[in-house]
Amino acid sequence: MKKLKFLINRIFGIDYRQLFDTVKKVHKLSGKNSLFLFFDIIYCGIKYQSGYIDYLNARMDRLNREERRDVVTRGVNNQYVVKYNDFDYVHYFINKVDFNNKFSKYLGRDWLLVDGNHQRDAFADFIKDKTDFILKPTDGTHGDGVAKLPATMDSFDANLDKCPYLAEERIIQVPEMSSLNPTSVNTLRVITFLDKKGASHILAAYLRIGREGLVDNFCSGGMLTPVDLETGVLHYPAVDGENMAYEVHPITGNHIVGFKIPQWEDAKALALEAAHVIPQVRYVGWDIAISEKGPCLIEGNEYPGHVFYVFAEHHPDHKGCRHIFESIMD
């Protein structure tokens, strides 16, 4: 029944213009007949609960049945979220104030909820000894509305219309992480799962790298690549939203392939510990920065983005993530 509801929602919510555009893209890459690809995309949507973007990113046109089943598609990811995350507790992840209060131990930075002019004095105390700060909407996603502002009372007055918002101390990432792209904090997405016995596991990890902008989010022009869980080394090129792969950063020219995440063991330990704070939400994607103060949480995602898992560039052996995830999940 859940699969049927998902398929019905997908059929009525589909952007057919983008679907046909995807068919054209896959045709150009594969040389396969466009009509065949159209019906194959529909078939994969029914059989494997994949969206047309999943089909393109995972290059499902090149996969056999068993390989297709191993892709963590949008529908498969939805099943994990519904099965393992209690929606009575997801507000701790959706609401940034709730998150900061609950996970304050792991933030590694000062912050203040600004919800009106009455906090003028509190804001003045917050900006002491700071040259700038980060403004975040309390309910924003994908980096929307995030801004770096001067630590002045003029900033307070100019942004009263944005209340409520979070004013956060700016994270200073370590030089190694900054070398990849200095304009954004380049963060890890570490996906954890809490099993029935209360043990936390890391299912996968990825590095997001910005490109000129303030944020590194994939949907805001950033790139992503998987991290080797044992070594913290990047073995694959970073891929952007246009399916372009980069072994070196297109702006800084620094090597992505072969880069080693600093403080990797500490970052893993942080994610594994944070996974226990709200045990009712068992499947979480943690955004972690490697700051001068050590690894720190940016946020947790009760709906880990499945786009991280699917790129064909990161699966040259045609093996997906599903068999790994489900060997740990109950």
Side-chain angles (χ1 to χ4, degrees):
M1 182 61 71
K2 289 180 180 178
K3 288 184 179 181
L4 179 61
K5 288 182 179 179
F6 173 80
L7 290 172
I8 292 172
N9 289 336
R10 289 293 295 158
I11 290 169
F12 285 99
I14 199 167
D15 182 335
Y16 285 96
R17 178 178 295 180
Q18 193 168 3
L19 169 59
F20 293 131
D21 184 55
T22 301
V23 170
K24 291 179 182 178
K25 289 179 179 178
V26 180
H27 167 71
K28 186 175 180 180
L29 290 169
S30 67
K32 293 184 178 180
N33 179 272
S34 294
L35 186 61
F36 166 80
L37 290 171
F38 174 82
F39 284 108
D40 197 41
I41 290 172
I42 299 299
Y43 170 78
C44 286
I46 296 170
K47 181 69 174 178
Y48 306 105
Q49 302 174 68
S50 64
Y52 43 87
I53 301 301
D54 293 338
Y55 188 95
L56 170 63
N57 289 344
R59 289 301 308 274
M60 294 180 77
D61 60 291
R62 302 189 303 192
L63 304 182
N64 62 36
R65 290 182 180 181
E66 194 62 31
E67 291 165 346
R68 287 176 167 187
R69 189 191 176 282
D70 206 24
V71 178
V72 179
T73 62
R74 176 183 292 196
V76 171
N77 191 60
N78 287 351
Q79 288 180 30
Y80 296 159
V81 171
V82 170
K83 182 176 182 179
Y84 298 116
N85 293 347
D86 186 332
F87 281 71
D88 287 336
Y89 293 85
V90 299
H91 67 90
Y92 286 111
F93 298 90
I94 296 172
N95 185 291
K96 288 181 169 52
V97 178
D98 289 352
F99 181 85
N100 280 15
N101 280 320
K102 194 70 173 179
F103 292 91
S104 58
K105 173 183 176 181
Y106 308 100
L107 298 181
R109 61 193 181 278
D110 294 334
W111 64 279
L112 175 70
L113 172 63
V114 181
D115 60 3
N117 192 51
H118 65 281
Q119 287 189 294
R120 176 173 294 271
D121 290 342
F123 184 84
D125 288 337
F126 170 77
I127 63 174
K128 284 180 180 177
D129 303 321
K130 294 181 177 65
T131 58
D132 51 36
F133 71 99
I134 301 297
L135 182 152
K136 289 184 180 180
T138 57
D139 57 354
T141 59
H142 308 308
D144 296 338
V146 175
K148 182 175 75 170
L149 300 174
T152 65
M153 295 309 298
D154 287 342
S155 293
F156 178 84
D157 293 330
N159 290 283
L160 282 172
D161 62 329
K162 295 183 174 64
C163 291
Y165 66 83
L166 288 177
E168 293 190 351
E169 177 185 359
R170 182 165 61 91
I171 293 171
I172 307 299
Q173 63 187 343
V174 295
E176 299 97 311
M177 297 298 284
S178 186
S179 70
L180 291 173
N181 182 61
T183 65
S184 64
V185 177
N186 306 301
T187 59
L188 297 165
R189 170 65 63 88
V190 181
I191 297 91
T192 61
F193 181 76
L194 195 67
D195 67 28
K196 283 184 175 179
K197 295 181 180 180
S200 55
H201 307 263
I202 294 178
L203 301 179
Y206 299 81
L207 177 66
R208 297 184 301 187
I209 308 168
R211 182 162 48 187
E212 295 187 287
L214 179 63
V215 296
D216 63 352
N217 298 71
F218 183 73
C219 58
S220 301
M223 303 172 283
L224 62 88
T225 187
V227 181
D228 186 292
L229 294 184
E230 294 300 320
T231 65
V233 173
L234 310 181
H235 295 305
Y236 298 102
V239 178
D240 66 12
E242 299 299 319
N243 274 275
M244 297 295 293
Y246 302 91
E247 293 195 9
V248 299
H249 195 284
I251 306 298
T252 66
N254 288 320
H255 285 272
I256 295 171
V257 175
F259 181 86
K260 181 176 174 59
I261 305 296
Q263 305 176 38
W264 174 236
E265 292 300 323
D266 291 337
K268 288 196 295 183
L270 186 156
L272 289 169
E273 185 176 332
H276 291 272
V277 174
I278 303 177
Q280 296 84 358
V281 181
R282 301 168 59 192
Y283 174 55
V284 180
W286 305 98
D287 291 345
I288 298 174
I290 309 299
S291 80
E292 292 181 344
K293 298 178 181 179
C296 59
L297 278 186
I298 305 296
E299 63 182 19
N301 299 272
E302 86 295 342
Y303 188 95
H306 76 287
V307 69
F308 289 88
Y309 315 141
V310 301
F311 282 100
E313 190 74 34
H314 303 149
H315 301 277
D317 58 0
H318 291 188
K319 293 181 180 179
C321 293
R322 190 171 179 178
H323 73 284
I324 299 172
F325 287 18
E326 295 182 6
S327 70
I328 297 171
M329 292 173 163
D330 45 75

